[in-house]
Amino acid sequence: MKKVGIIDSGVEVAFLREHAIALEGAACFTLDLDAQVLETRSYERPELDAWRAGESALDLEDTHGHGTAILSILYDQVRPWPDVELYVARVLDQGVRGHSLCLVEALGWMLDEVGVDLLNLSLGTTLRALEVPMREVIDRAVARGAVIACAAGGVPTLPAQLESVVSVGDPALMERANPDVKVDHVVQEREVKLYMGGRWMQAPMTTSFACAVAVAGVLRDGCPPGWRR
C-alpha cells in the first residue's frame, strides 16, 4: 500500500469527517524559541480516529486552511480515492508561518520514520543553513524510491532547489520567477477546485496548489518519466 504524506498547516477535522477520510498517522512540530525547545507530538490511527469522531481534541487542527486545501485537491482530483495510507505533519500556524527547523524535523519523521512513498511539500524556506540536513534526509528517501514534490518559489527556496526534489510551478510563477529558480514541472491550469473555509470553491492557481495538482497526477496516473531521481 502506498504511503502519502503532506507537510503543511495540519487539516480541518471537519473535512476529514465530511469526506470519510482517515489519517493513518500524524504529527505536530513546534519550536519554542525562548526555551530553545523543539517539540514533536505524533499520533497513531486510534487517536486520530477518536479525533475525527469528535471524542478528543488534537493540535493538528488546520486553523488557516492551507493544509486542508492541499488535501482537498488530492481528494477532488483522484477518483476513486485510492487505497493509500495518509500521513499529515503540521509545521505551519494560523498565519502560515513556521520555523525551518520544524520542517527539517517533519521531513525526518515523514521520510525516515514513516517512510512515505509520495510527499507533498507546498511550502519552502530561504534558510540555506539547513540545506545539508534537509538534503541528507531527502536523498535517503529518494534512494529507496520515494517521490518528493515541492512548490517552487519566486526566489530559490529549499527543498525545491535540491536535485532530488521535483519542483513545481504555475504559469504566473514562470512569468516572474528569478532565473535561478529550479522548476521541473509546470501545471498549466489557471484555477483549481479546493476546499477552504468550510466549503468547496474555485481558486486562482498558485505554486502551492500546483504542487498538489502534480501530486494528484502521480496518484491518479503514476509517476511521470523523469520524476524518479
Side-chain angles (χ1 to χ4, degrees):
M1 182 182 294
K2 187 185 292 288
K3 295 181 178 181
V4 179
I6 299 172
I7 299 178
D8 212 282
S9 59
V11 63
E12 294 175 34
V13 70
F15 177 79
L16 299 178
R17 193 178 297 132
E18 180 180 340
H19 298 87
I21 299 173
L23 298 181
E24 190 65 28
C28 180
F29 300 84
T30 55
L31 179 65
D32 186 330
L33 288 173
D34 293 332
Q36 295 187 326
V37 174
L38 196 157
E39 186 175 358
T40 302
R41 294 172 297 281
S42 59
Y43 306 97
E44 297 182 351
R45 180 66 180 266
E47 297 167 285
L48 295 166
D49 285 347
W51 178 52
R52 190 179 65 165
E55 299 168 3
S56 64
L58 299 179
D59 52 6
L60 301 168
E61 184 65 31
D62 185 3
T63 52
H64 177 273
H66 189 268
T68 305
I70 297 304
L71 175 57
S72 74
I73 292 171
L74 302 187
Y75 178 79
D76 179 65
Q77 298 202 5
V78 186
R79 296 295 183 89
W81 184 245
D83 187 18
V84 298
E85 291 183 356
L86 184 62
Y87 296 83
V88 168
R90 184 184 184 196
V91 298
L92 302 177
D93 62 17
Q94 62 185 8
V96 202
R97 297 180 301 266
H99 199 284
S100 299
L101 282 172
C102 293
L103 174 57
V104 173
E105 288 296 311
L107 285 169
W109 181 76
M110 275 285 188
L111 298 173
D112 285 341
E113 293 187 39
V114 174
V116 296
D117 305 294
L118 178 60
L119 180 59
N120 187 107
L121 296 167
S122 291
L123 42 67
T125 177
T126 57
L127 190 59
R128 307 295 299 190
L130 296 175
E131 179 173 348
V132 171
M134 203 175 287
R135 182 187 296 275
E136 288 175 350
V137 67
I138 287 173
D139 284 354
R140 281 196 301 272
V142 170
R144 63 168 170 79
V147 174
I148 301 165
C150 184
V155 297
T157 57
L158 294 172
Q161 290 291 113
L162 300 180
E163 298 86 353
S164 297
V165 172
V166 178
S167 55
V168 182
D170 70 312
L173 175 74
M174 302 310 293
E175 294 168 2
R176 60 177 172 79
N178 183 299
D180 294 329
V181 171
K182 178 175 79 74
V183 179
D184 300 309
H185 178 80
V186 179
V187 170
Q188 297 298 332
E189 292 87 351
R190 296 277 181 172
E191 289 189 342
V192 63
K193 181 182 176 184
L194 54 78
Y195 182 100
M196 185 177 281
R199 65 186 180 91
W200 287 95
M201 66 179 75
Q202 288 292 127
M205 187 66 74
T206 66
T207 56
S208 292
F209 300 153
C211 185
V213 171
V215 168
V218 175
L219 277 174
R220 185 182 60 245
D221 306 320
C223 192
W227 277 37
R228 297 285 183 189
R229 295 309 204 227

